[in-house]
C-alpha cells in the first residue's frame, strides 16, 4: 500500500511505539488520527489529528470514531491497535482491578477498535489492521501471567480475524516485539539507545514495512527480537 494520503487510526499515540509510528507514517505521507488519553507532546503536523479516546471504554471508542470521521474523513485505510498496559506480579498477590485493566486495554480495546472500523473497510473492500501483541503472547513467564494472557488473546484474536476478513480485501497483521526500550515498564529510556533492546523506531519501521506490502501480499504475523539481548 502506498501510504500517501491514506487515513490511519493509531491508538496509544502519546509516547513510545505509538509516537514513533505516528512520526514514521507522517514521513510517508499518511494522514494520522492519533487516539489516546493524552496528546503526544510537541507532535504538530498538518496531517496529524489527535482524538481523545480511552480504548477501555466502548462508548469512548465509538465517540472517537465519529470524531475521526468529522476531522479527517470517512475512509479508514489502516487501524493500528498499539495501546497497551503491562502490570507485573505473582498470581496469588495480583489485584483484580489490575487484571481487569490489562484485559480492558489490551484485549477489549483491540476488539472495540476493530469492530468500529470493519464496516467501513468492508465497504471499501480495502484496509489493513495491525495488532501489536508481544513475545509474551508466545510463551508464559513468571510474574507476567496476566500480561501474557492478554497478549496470547490478542494473537488468537488476530489469527481468527485475518481468516474472517481476508476475502473482504482486509489485511490483519499481528506484530509481536520482544524487549523494547520505552516508558512501558515505568522506566525512562536513556539518552543513549540500549543495544540490548529494540527501539520504538525499530517497531515503527516494521509496521510501515507490513503496510507497504503489495496488495496481494499479507504478512499475517511478525516476531521481533533484539539481535544481541543482554545475557
Amino acid at each position: 500500500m502506498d501510504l500517501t494520503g491514506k487515513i490511519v487510526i493509531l491508538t496509544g499515540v502519546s509516547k513510545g511505539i505509538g509516537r514513533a509510528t505516528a512520526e514514521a507514517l507522517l514521513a510517508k505521507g499518511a494522514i494520522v488520527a492519533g487516539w489516546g488519553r493524552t496528546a503526544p507532546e510537541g507532535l504538530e503536523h498538518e496531517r496529524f489529528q489527535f482524538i481523545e479516546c480511552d480504548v477501555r471504554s466502548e462508548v469512548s471508542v465509538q465517540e472517537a470514531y465519529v470524531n475521526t470521521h468529522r476531522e479527517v474523513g470517512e475512509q479508514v485505510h489502516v487501524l493500528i491497535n498499539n495501546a497497551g498496559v503491562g502490570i507485573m506480579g505473582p498470581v496469588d498477590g495480583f489485584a483484580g482491578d489490575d487484571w481487569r485493566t490489562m484485559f480492558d486495554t489490551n484485549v477489549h480495546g483491540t476488539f472495540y477498535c476493530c469492530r468500529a472500523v470493519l464496516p467501513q473497510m468492508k465497504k471499501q473492500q480495502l484496509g489493513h489492521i495491525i495488532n501489536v501483541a508481544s513475545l509474551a503472547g508466545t510463551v508464559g513467564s513468571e510474574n507476567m501471567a496476566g500480561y501474557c494472557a492478554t497478549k496470547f488473546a490478542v494473537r488468537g484474536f488476530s489469527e481468527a480475524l485475518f481468516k474472517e476478513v481476508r476475502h473482504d480485501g482486509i489485511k490483519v497483521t499481528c506484530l509481536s516485539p520482544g524487549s523494547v526500550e520505552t516508558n512501558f515498564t515505568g522506566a525512562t529510556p536513556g539518552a543513549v539507545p540500549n543495544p540490548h533492546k529494540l527501539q520504538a523506531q525499530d517497531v515503527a519501521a516494521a509496521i510501515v514495512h507490513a503496510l507497504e506490502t503489495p496488495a496481494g501480499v499479507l504478512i499475517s504475523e511478525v516476531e521481533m527480537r533484539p539481535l544481541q539481548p543482554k545475557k
Side-chain angles (χ1 to χ4, degrees):
M1 180 191 296
D2 180 1
L3 292 170
T4 304
K6 298 300 189 295
I7 296 175
V8 180
I9 293 174
L10 168 62
T11 72
V13 72
S14 64
K15 57 188 177 182
I17 293 171
R19 170 67 178 260
T21 301
E23 292 173 346
L25 291 168
L26 291 168
K28 289 287 186 176
I31 300 166
V32 179
W35 290 12
R37 289 183 292 168
T38 57
E41 186 176 347
L43 181 55
E44 296 181 4
H45 195 286
E46 61 183 359
R47 285 183 276 104
F48 176 77
Q49 179 67 50
F50 174 70
I51 305 289
E52 187 173 351
C53 179
D54 183 347
V55 300
R56 297 174 298 181
S57 164
E58 188 172 2
V59 172
S60 182
V61 169
Q62 292 169 345
E63 291 176 347
Y65 189 62
V66 170
N67 293 336
T68 299
H69 273 336
R70 185 184 67 247
E71 297 295 335
V72 301
E74 183 176 351
Q75 291 189 312
V76 180
H77 302 102
V78 177
L79 166 66
I80 302 170
N81 283 305
N82 166 70
V85 62
I87 304 170
M88 314 310 172
V91 171
D92 58 353
F94 210 80
D97 285 346
D98 289 342
W99 182 274
R100 284 184 287 273
T101 293
M102 282 196 292
F103 270 88
D104 285 343
T105 306
N106 302 352
V107 183
H108 303 153
T110 296
F111 162 66
Y112 297 148
C113 293
C114 287
R115 187 180 58 181
V117 304
L118 280 171
Q120 178 61 33
M121 287 186 173
K122 287 182 177 180
K123 180 180 177 181
Q124 297 166 178
Q125 290 290 286
L126 173 70
H128 197 153
I129 295 171
I130 294 186
N131 295 328
V132 179
S134 169
L135 289 182
T138 65
V139 60
S141 298
E142 63 272 17
N143 294 317
M144 293 179 62
Y147 183 69
C148 290
T150 66
K151 293 305 185 178
F152 268 85
V154 170
R155 289 184 62 239
F157 174 76
S158 300
E159 183 175 348
L161 182 61
F162 107 72
K163 295 175 180 178
E164 182 175 319
V165 301
R166 65 193 304 183
H167 298 295
D168 292 297
I170 302 169
K171 301 181 182 185
V172 179
T173 301
C174 185
L175 177 64
S176 297
S179 180
V180 183
E181 188 176 24
T182 68
N183 298 90
F184 180 76
T185 58
T188 302
V192 178
N194 185 336
H196 304 296
K197 292 186 177 183
L198 297 170
Q199 302 301 304
Q201 292 80 6
D202 300 329
V203 182
I207 289 172
V208 170
H209 173 70
L211 292 174
E212 290 186 325
T213 51
V217 177
L218 166 64
I219 299 176
S220 59
E221 188 159 8
V222 178
E223 293 185 359
M224 297 182 66
R225 296 171 171 83
L227 180 61
Q228 296 179 320
K230 190 173 183 180
K231 295 181 181 180

